[in-house]
Amino acid sequence: MKTSTQKLGVMLMVFALIYSLQSCSTSDDSTEEASVEETQEEQASIPLADLESGISIPDAAYIAGAPPSPNSSILFKINTDGQSGYLNTGYTVPFTANDDIAGAYLRILEKDGETAGGYFDIPASSFEEKRPLRTKKENEFAQHKLLEENDYEINVKFSNTIPVGTFCYEICIYDSDNNISQPSTVCVTVQEWGGPESLTGSWLFDRYDPANLDEDRTTINCNTGGSFEADYQLNEKEDWVLTLESNGNYNEVYDDVYRTIDYDASAADCEAVYGDTESYKEQYLGKWTYNASQKTISIVDFEYKNLLDSSENETFENGILYVENALVEVISGELVLTETYIEDGKEVTVKGIFKKQ
């Protein structure tokens, strides 16, 4: 059912800095400030002590010393040159690997190359595979954000002691026969919350491009034979408001009033019959950040409120990444968020367009 639980979803900002290692143990009018690069604070190296005490990986073992050296060329491709981390949240490691992958070794580095005194041994059972990047919410973006075959993700968590700045990590994978891949090294930039004033304010969702993304049709088989198509839902009210504040706070409110098709009654009458009026009202609250060099926005949820039933309210201590690196522009007074993804081997581009309230 497509209600205003439609939310944008997505992944990864680029801060390009790549190390060449021998082993896993060594080696427009959208924004007037768009040309501003990362701040000096964001470019600064995060101290190794902060990294070692403030980074964790669910279900992984932390082992003292250097990880084992690579001994094979098993399939392993890291799917980013560099990426963003999010305060009090963390980051995701996206990669492609063989079917029989057993785990991965990951070690943290300072930006300037000093390595941590240990490494994470991460079992493949903890990897995310074919995972939608959303929680309760659905949208025309997030419903497509599933990993392809042999694509995986590792979720790396930050405590609240990880500051703004840059660090790196090296990662390799291994299989059940203890074949260990060549490593890759990627750097992560942890950015300040917030962004340019031109993006701030309350924005009311207006439309998708292409427009047919709003269509939600269903087929009814008549009891007397034949069939017909009808709208799955009749919307009497469908408001989706995205608010971006200059201090980095964000919230979204979804306020829907709708009627859903009654299949039995429609089949009996051989015409569309809709049920009683229903209401849906929820809010997400969190933080947003802007990548000036890429002109992209990322959003992290820290709280969910059901505005009609407070018993369903939730908080997310480490945050849940909601939008990652969606291209953001203000064009003729409209906020345009653009997502590009691969579906069935083809590149698909979707735009969500909002009007200033």
Side-chain angles (χ1 to χ4, degrees):
M1 176 175 72
K2 291 184 177 66
T3 71
S4 54
T5 47
Q6 298 164 318
K7 273 192 93 181
L8 299 167
V10 239
M11 282 194 126
L12 282 159
M13 286 187 279
V14 176
F15 177 87
L17 179 58
I18 307 174
Y19 287 80
S20 176
L21 301 179
Q22 297 302 313
S23 73
C24 200
S25 60
T26 62
S27 338
D28 106 57
D29 64 345
S30 63
T31 57
E32 61 273 13
E33 299 92 339
S35 62
V36 178
E37 299 299 324
E38 288 83 5
T39 66
Q40 289 185 346
E41 186 179 13
E42 291 167 350
Q43 294 177 12
S45 182
I46 298 175
L48 190 60
D50 290 342
L51 297 169
E52 289 185 303
S53 64
I55 288 179
S56 63
I57 300 177
D59 301 320
Y62 190 75
I63 302 172
S69 297
N71 58 13
S72 76
S73 58
I74 61 177
L75 173 64
F76 172 58
K77 178 185 176 184
I78 196 79
N79 296 331
T80 180
D81 291 332
Q83 58 192 107
S84 288
Y86 304 97
L87 290 168
N88 301 330
T89 302
Y91 66 97
T92 301
V93 181
F95 63 94
T96 301
N98 290 333
D99 285 329
D100 61 351
I101 182 174
Y105 300 127
L106 184 148
R107 183 163 65 163
I108 301 298
L109 316 171
E110 276 192 344
K111 176 183 176 182
D112 298 329
E114 184 179 353
T115 59
Y119 64 95
F120 292 97
D121 184 353
I122 312 160
S125 59
S126 70
F127 299 167
E128 298 283 1
E129 184 177 14
K130 299 184 181 302
R131 178 178 64 91
L133 299 178
R134 63 187 188 274
T135 53
K136 294 176 180 296
K137 50 201 168 240
E138 297 180 6
N139 61 75
E140 299 298 341
F141 295 77
Q143 66 183 353
H144 298 289
K145 300 302 291 182
L146 303 177
L147 299 175
E148 298 292 326
E149 185 177 3
N150 294 334
D151 284 353
Y152 302 87
E153 292 179 345
I154 296 172
N155 291 320
V156 181
K157 303 296 186 182
F158 289 168
S159 73
N160 59 11
T161 62
I162 297 294
V164 171
T166 299
F167 69 96
C168 305
Y169 64 89
E170 62 180 18
I171 182 172
C172 55
I173 63 167
Y174 60 88
D175 63 19
S176 56
D177 296 322
N178 205 32
N179 295 309
I180 303 171
S181 75
Q182 297 298 316
S184 293
T185 301
V186 179
C187 290
V188 179
T189 300
V190 185
Q191 293 181 298
E192 293 277 11
W193 296 123
E197 287 293 330
S198 58
L199 300 181
T200 62
S202 292
W203 302 89
L204 176 65
F205 178 77
D206 185 66
R207 65 194 185 278
Y208 285 111
D209 181 12
N212 61 5
L213 291 174
D214 276 325
E215 294 179 0
D216 192 4
R217 306 277 288 175
T218 189
T219 299
I220 305 295
N221 295 314
C222 301
N223 294 344
T224 55
S227 63
F228 65 95
E229 282 198 351
D231 290 329
Y232 175 78
Q233 185 173 288
L234 295 181
N235 294 307
E236 299 175 15
K237 180 180 182 181
E238 191 174 19
D239 289 347
W240 170 9
V241 179
L242 167 67
T243 300
L244 303 174
E245 299 181 22
S246 58
N247 63 2
N249 290 338
Y250 112 96
N251 76 83
E252 287 183 308
V253 174
Y254 302 91
D255 188 0
D256 284 11
V257 178
Y258 58 92
R259 298 166 60 205
T260 303
I261 197 162
D262 183 325
Y263 281 98
D264 291 339
S266 297
D269 292 354
C270 206
E271 65 179 18
V273 178
Y274 292 87
D276 295 335
T277 298
E278 300 178 66
S279 297
Y280 185 93
K281 194 171 185 180
E282 67 175 7
Q283 182 180 36
Y284 287 85
L285 303 97
K287 296 283 189 177
W288 69 286
T289 186
Y290 178 75
N291 185 315
S293 60
Q294 300 297 313
K295 300 182 181 180
T296 57
I297 188 172
S298 294
I299 299 174
V300 178
D301 288 329
F302 286 98
E303 186 176 4
Y304 164 79
K305 292 183 178 182
N306 184 320
L307 301 179
L308 300 179
D309 182 0
S310 62
S311 68
E312 294 192 3
N313 294 355
E314 294 183 68
T315 58
F316 315 118
E317 182 179 357
N318 291 113
I320 296 178
L321 187 59
Y322 157 45
V323 173
E324 186 164 32
N325 294 329
L327 179 66
V328 59
E329 305 169 276
V330 177
I331 301 174
S332 300
E334 296 180 323
L335 183 75
V336 182
L337 300 181
T338 302
E339 171 70 54
T340 299
Y341 55 88
I342 302 298
E343 183 177 39
D344 298 330
K346 297 180 180 180
E347 186 175 272
V348 179
T349 297
V350 176
K351 294 183 179 183
I353 302 170
F354 297 73
K355 292 184 177 293
K356 195 73 169 282
Q357 280 199 314

